[in-house]
Amino acid sequence: MLNLCYCNNHNTVVWNGYEVNNNIAYQTFMENNVRDRLNDTQGQQIIENYLRSLNLTGFESDNLDLLLSTTSQEERDWAVGESFAEAILEQNYNVTFPWNNNRDLRNENASLPGADIVGIIDDGGQFKLVFGEVKTSVQNNYPPNVMYGRSGMIHQLETIGTDFTRLLTLIKWLFFRCRGTRFQNSFDEAFRYLLQNNNQGLYLIGILVRPNIISNEDDLRSRGEYLGNLFATTARKGLLLAYYLPYSSEDFVNLAVEGDQ
């Protein structure tokens, strides 16, 4: 499914670029892993089972069927990009997401503020808090504009890694979704590691999704070197990943939403 096209590092920051093969393995990944995260299949099943258990009348059941049969509006490429990134991190990087962010949406077209990636990573046997950002860009520049500026990936990662107000907000969000669950022990270990390393023991990940763009290390090199210099003497680890897709952004979205039809 993936071919490594470049790999490099500077201090505690690593950056890798992958070309995505449009084969059966990839289509299955999009139609199963990505779609399940995009639609929050598990969460939808839980709420549907609960609502159907409420001893509904026939009239009420008909109305529930009508409500549950509605479909969300066409997904935007950023939403599919975030689900793609989370599925990749789960499959290839030992990252666990105790909660699907889609459950917190109050508007189906809204992106939650704070961070796109909020979870726990098993980094060689050590659980660590992991936070990150996901950007999707078809701009034919290296790097694209989504890597720069206050809303760009690198500034957002820098803020998470250095602004304790932002960091605490994310930790509290994650805590309430781990407390009393099977994820609590790994959260506790990851949080202790943060404290033991002067509030710097965490993992930051940035993922760039590039539909129909040729791979080029210039997408990540300068940004990786910048973060590497910033985190040179800290326990913060950084990972930047770029995925180059062999087709358009529209096809990328359609495969996750509708499948190969």
Side-chain angles (χ1 to χ4, degrees):
M1 171 177 155
L2 300 175
N3 292 329
L4 181 66
C5 50
Y6 58 82
C7 177
N8 216 327
N9 69 280
H10 181 57
N11 294 325
T12 61
V13 175
V14 173
W15 57 92
N16 298 333
Y18 295 92
E19 293 177 346
V20 178
N21 297 314
N22 190 11
N23 53 25
I24 295 299
Y26 172 72
Q27 292 175 11
T28 300
F29 177 79
M30 291 294 294
E31 294 173 11
N32 293 331
N33 304 55
V34 176
R35 189 182 300 172
D36 281 349
R37 293 208 63 82
L38 183 67
N39 296 332
D40 187 18
T41 303
Q42 181 184 40
Q44 292 295 331
Q45 190 60 58
I46 290 172
I47 190 171
E48 180 174 343
N49 291 343
Y50 176 79
L51 295 176
R52 292 193 183 283
S53 73
L54 296 179
N55 296 322
L56 303 176
T57 66
F59 176 72
E60 292 167 340
S61 294
D62 290 343
N63 285 334
L64 178 60
D65 289 339
L66 178 63
L67 187 64
L68 294 175
S69 67
T70 59
T71 58
S72 62
Q73 298 180 22
E74 182 178 346
E75 297 292 346
R76 299 181 180 180
D77 56 359
W78 60 258
V80 178
E82 289 179 11
S83 295
F84 173 85
E86 290 184 354
I88 284 284
L89 292 175
E90 283 184 324
Q91 178 170 283
N92 297 338
Y93 292 94
N94 297 318
V95 175
T96 298
F97 297 99
W99 189 258
N100 189 317
N101 288 346
N102 289 331
R103 297 173 191 173
D104 291 329
L105 293 179
R106 293 180 177 85
N107 180 328
E108 70 277 6
N109 288 326
S111 180
L112 292 177
D116 300 326
I117 296 167
V118 183
I120 300 167
I121 186 170
D122 182 350
D123 184 24
Q126 172 63 61
F127 287 112
K128 299 177 182 179
L129 302 174
V130 59
F131 305 111
E133 293 293 329
V134 181
K135 301 293 184 184
T136 300
S137 176
V138 297
Q139 186 180 35
N140 199 21
N141 291 341
Y142 302 99
N145 290 342
V146 295
M147 302 296 283
Y148 290 101
R150 293 189 61 81
S151 62
M153 176 193 293
I154 301 306
H155 177 75
Q156 291 173 323
L157 293 178
E158 179 181 352
T159 300
I160 295 169
T162 60
D163 184 334
F164 285 174
T165 300
R166 174 70 60 83
L167 180 60
L168 180 59
T169 298
L170 294 172
I171 290 172
K172 289 191 294 185
W173 185 92
L174 185 60
F175 163 74
F176 282 111
R177 285 149 183 81
C178 291
R179 183 180 61 170
T181 73
R182 61 188 177 91
F183 304 107
Q184 183 166 334
N185 289 339
S186 54
F187 172 88
D188 292 348
E189 181 180 325
F191 185 66
R192 288 193 188 99
Y193 183 83
L194 177 79
L195 300 181
Q196 291 164 359
N197 289 276
N198 300 316
N199 294 326
Q200 299 174 357
L202 70 159
Y203 214 112
L204 299 171
I205 297 179
I207 296 183
L208 178 63
V209 181
R210 300 284 264 152
N212 204 28
I213 297 293
I214 298 173
S215 62
N216 190 320
E217 189 179 353
D218 287 345
D219 268 343
L220 301 181
R221 182 192 293 112
S222 65
R223 304 294 80 204
E225 291 174 347
Y226 173 82
L227 283 181
N229 288 330
L230 183 67
F231 300 157
T233 59
T234 75
R236 301 184 192 96
K237 293 182 70 173
L239 176 65
L240 302 181
L241 302 168
Y243 293 91
Y244 300 91
L245 311 180
Y247 37 76
S248 70
S249 178
E250 181 180 1
D251 291 337
F252 174 60
V253 171
N254 288 340
L255 187 56
V257 175
E258 304 171 5
D260 188 15
Q261 299 180 345

